[in-house]
Amino acid sequence: MTVDRLRPSSTLPGVSGLSLYVPRPCVSLDDWCAWTGAPADKVRAVVGHSFRMCAPAENVYTMAASAALRLIDAYDIDPRRVGMLALGTESSTDNAAGAVIVKGMLDRALQQQGRAPLSRWCEVPEIKHACLGGMYALKGALRYAACDADDRVALVIAADVAEYARGSTGEQTQGAGAVAMLVEREPTLFSVDLSRTGSAAAYRGADFRKPMARHFMPDYDAGTRRLHDFPVFNGKYSTLCYLDEVIAALEDMFERVGQDMDGFYAEVAAVMLHRPYHHLPIQAMAHALVWSMGRSDAHPERFDALCEQAQVDPDRARAQVRTPIDLVEQAEAHGPDTDPFADAQRVAKHYGRSPQFRRFVAEHMSLGTERVKALGNLYTGSLPAWLAAAFDDAHARDLDLAGKSMLAVGYGSGDAAEAWPLRVADRWREAAARIDFDAALADALPLDQPTYEALHDGTTPPQPIPSPRGFAIADVGRRNAAQWQDIGVEYYRFAG
């Protein structure tokens, strides 16, 4: 993106720091494939290397607090300057309180260490929209920094627990972790021009949901001993929803930026998307590029040539990418396996195997990729984790990113998507040097099959699981008297 298309970065809010926390229990996908009989080569290529699981005394709030405290320490943040603490998650265990729980943990830990707590005059919103909650929380913090922060800063935490039933198609895409972000009016890592971001939203029915009623139905959560948050999902349909909404958000961004696809991608240094598993953002970009070609009148011969190579009628494929389609209506009328983009998808899959697209992936989507393969699915933390990995990777490789643009595309099932052009700050190296992504992955505790299954199902694991580093659940209230109730309320401790 050329400089004259954005306001000077010094006038734009953005992010000055990133910090990652993941639990110690770790499942190697090679081991998981050996246990389940799944094809290891395919899983490694499509999904990644491993995923993390919460220890028994961990939840989304303890992970969020641990990531935030790491951020405060790594970037020497004065807690008294924090005017907003925002949490994006779909894994809450409390339907009333949210980010304020994290604030309480941080305040006690800071005071335990002889430091000042977070400001009493601090906003504590929790944002929920599936895997987009973290970006929505970050967007709110950017607006806060731009409009009324004065000399204060915001902390944003994207934290989640992704868990699926054993034997389900989503089991290998589990994960747990949190990413904390420091937001300032004058950022040192990257800035965001909110006037150029793209948004899209459409209701998608039974795409990927977590209805409360499922907990009371006999067919849900069978054979487990603890409360689970398994989603109700439909794989093929959900993938169509992801692709369609990401493309819509990108189109909105291109219109607001005032630049076509070719011009934008020629100048962008890195492209990162929401990443439930390794292959999906790559697949999404192949589709997005093909859709842009099919919808553009500038070079129709390129789309026609791709269609011919894929043995697809160009007119039919072009009609599919240009005609508005209601995916909910399609699924209701023709069943969940219907594909209204069948011809266009064949073109996109063909393009995804082409040398041209492979070069695009190598040039634009490789930063941090190997690092995030070890994380698994962090839901709303997946995109922020990739950003952290990318900047950490770029610093390690001594790349020249100052002043260059990046693209971050978030997605949340249900559906909504955000496409953001980012501008790398001049002082990004100093901020990136403090991320220390590898340190967050250190000290992993590999799980064998019986221990994994016990931890997953909520039974006693044969392999001891050490207490979490940092914050942990100390107790759960059981009092339900008229004078005092705390039944189900979690109490926390800080181990230091």
Side-chain angles (χ1 to χ4, degrees):
M1 188 181 307
T2 54
V3 174
D4 62 350
R5 294 187 183 275
L6 294 177
R7 288 176 288 157
S9 59
S10 61
T11 67
L12 298 170
V15 172
S16 292
L18 291 158
S19 179
L20 171 72
Y21 174 85
V22 291
R24 290 186 62 196
C26 178
V27 175
S28 160
L29 284 175
D30 282 345
D31 291 343
W32 179 86
C33 288
W35 307 335
T36 62
D41 290 345
K42 181 178 179 180
V43 169
R44 196 180 302 113
V46 173
V47 181
H49 300 326
S50 59
F51 62 81
R52 298 297 179 105
M53 301 179 70
C54 284
E58 283 185 302
N59 68 4
V60 70
Y61 302 127
T62 64
M63 294 190 300
S66 293
L69 188 59
R70 286 186 172 204
L71 187 77
I72 291 170
D73 291 341
Y75 290 87
D76 301 318
I77 300 168
D78 183 349
R80 296 166 296 184
R81 292 185 59 222
V82 178
M84 173 183 277
L85 176 69
L87 173 64
T89 186
E90 62 175 274
S91 306
S92 299
T93 58
D94 194 298
N95 283 335
V100 73
I101 297 173
V102 179
K103 183 181 187 299
M105 278 190 272
L106 290 171
D107 285 345
R108 289 199 173 188
L110 290 166
Q111 291 173 316
Q112 184 177 320
Q113 295 175 339
R115 295 191 279 176
L118 300 181
S119 169
R120 179 68 181 272
W121 296 272
C122 179
E123 302 175 26
V124 285
E126 178 178 306
I127 310 296
K128 180 189 76 175
H129 186 89
C131 300
L132 195 60
M135 282 196 79
Y136 276 155
L138 179 54
K139 200 169 192 178
L142 291 167
R143 288 167 174 157
Y144 167 81
C147 296
D148 60 356
D150 295 325
D151 64 340
R152 292 174 292 181
V153 302
L155 303 187
V156 178
I157 313 161
D160 261 316
V161 179
E163 56 181 356
Y164 293 80
R166 288 199 290 119
S168 72
T169 58
E171 184 183 1
Q172 66 266 42
T173 66
Q174 298 182 107
V179 181
M181 295 165 273
L182 170 61
V183 178
E184 296 184 303
R185 180 169 290 180
E186 297 185 3
T188 57
L189 195 58
F190 64 83
S191 60
V192 183
D193 187 345
L194 293 174
S195 69
R196 302 294 188 266
T197 59
S199 301
Y203 175 62
R204 304 303 182 134
D207 162 21
F208 175 105
R209 303 287 294 275
K210 293 183 177 179
M212 294 299 297
R214 74 197 192 281
H215 293 287
F216 304 97
M217 295 180 175
D219 293 335
Y220 176 79
D221 208 10
T224 61
R225 304 284 183 86
R226 65 176 176 86
L227 181 67
H228 280 83
D229 205 24
F230 300 148
V232 176
F233 71 103
N234 298 281
K236 182 176 179 180
Y237 177 65
S238 294
T239 299
L240 282 179
C241 292
Y242 176 102
L243 299 173
D244 187 54
E245 210 62 41
V246 162
I247 290 168
L250 284 168
E251 284 196 332
D252 185 44
M253 184 200 70
F254 288 138
E255 183 174 343
R256 300 187 78 186
V257 168
Q259 196 171 15
D260 64 14
M261 176 192 76
D262 290 335
F264 181 85
Y265 290 119
E267 297 171 2
V268 74
V271 175
M272 287 154 282
L273 289 80
H274 168 56
R275 184 189 172 280
Y277 52 90
H278 168 67
H279 183 65
L280 188 55
I282 297 172
Q283 179 185 358
M285 277 311 305
H287 281 68
L289 293 169
V290 166
W291 257 243
S292 292
M293 292 180 206
R295 290 176 175 177
S296 173
D297 295 322
H299 300 285
E301 69 280 358
R302 291 192 303 180
F303 187 76
D304 291 346
L306 283 174
C307 290
E308 291 172 6
Q309 293 164 15
Q311 298 182 335
V312 169
D313 179 79
D315 293 334
R316 198 164 60 233
R318 186 173 277 108
Q320 289 178 2
V321 303
R322 292 190 175 192
T323 304
I325 294 176
D326 188 318
L327 291 179
V328 176
E329 290 183 358
Q330 288 285 319
E332 290 175 348
H334 305 290
D337 289 331
T338 186
D339 185 355
F341 310 117
D343 296 291
Q345 285 231 63
R346 283 181 59 189
V347 179
K349 289 177 181 177
H350 169 79
Y351 179 68
R353 295 188 291 267
S354 69
Q356 179 185 356
F357 181 69
R358 289 175 181 171
R359 283 195 300 272
F360 179 94
V361 172
E363 293 173 2
H364 297 298
M365 303 183 73
S366 62
L367 271 182
T369 298
E370 289 303 313
R371 283 170 164 81
V372 292
K373 284 182 180 179
L375 294 181
N377 188 359
L378 304 189
Y379 280 166
T380 199
S382 293
L383 176 57
W386 194 353
L387 280 166
F391 276 104
D392 186 76
D393 190 12
H395 180 267
R397 291 159 58 181
D398 197 25
L399 301 182
D400 181 15
L401 293 180
K404 294 185 178 179
S405 62
M406 292 182 169
L407 171 64
V409 183
Y411 171 78
S413 298
D415 273 1
E418 292 279 319
W420 296 4
L422 315 178
R423 174 64 54 76
V424 181
D426 290 340
R427 296 166 52 197
W428 74 272
R429 293 179 191 275
E430 177 185 342
R434 303 187 184 200
I435 295 173
D436 205 356
F437 197 91
D438 291 340
L441 298 180
D443 202 23
L445 178 67
L447 302 182
D448 57 23
Q449 183 178 3
T451 305
Y452 159 65
E453 293 177 352
L455 192 59
H456 181 282
D457 297 347
T459 59
T460 302
Q463 175 184 356
I465 306 296
S467 296
R469 301 162 293 183
F471 298 92
I473 301 169
D475 194 15
V476 180
R478 295 168 181 81
R479 290 170 288 189
N480 199 28
Q483 296 82 7
W484 182 258
Q485 298 180 355
D486 70 350
I487 186 168
V489 173
E490 293 161 337
Y491 296 94
Y492 303 94
R493 62 176 172 79
F494 176 64

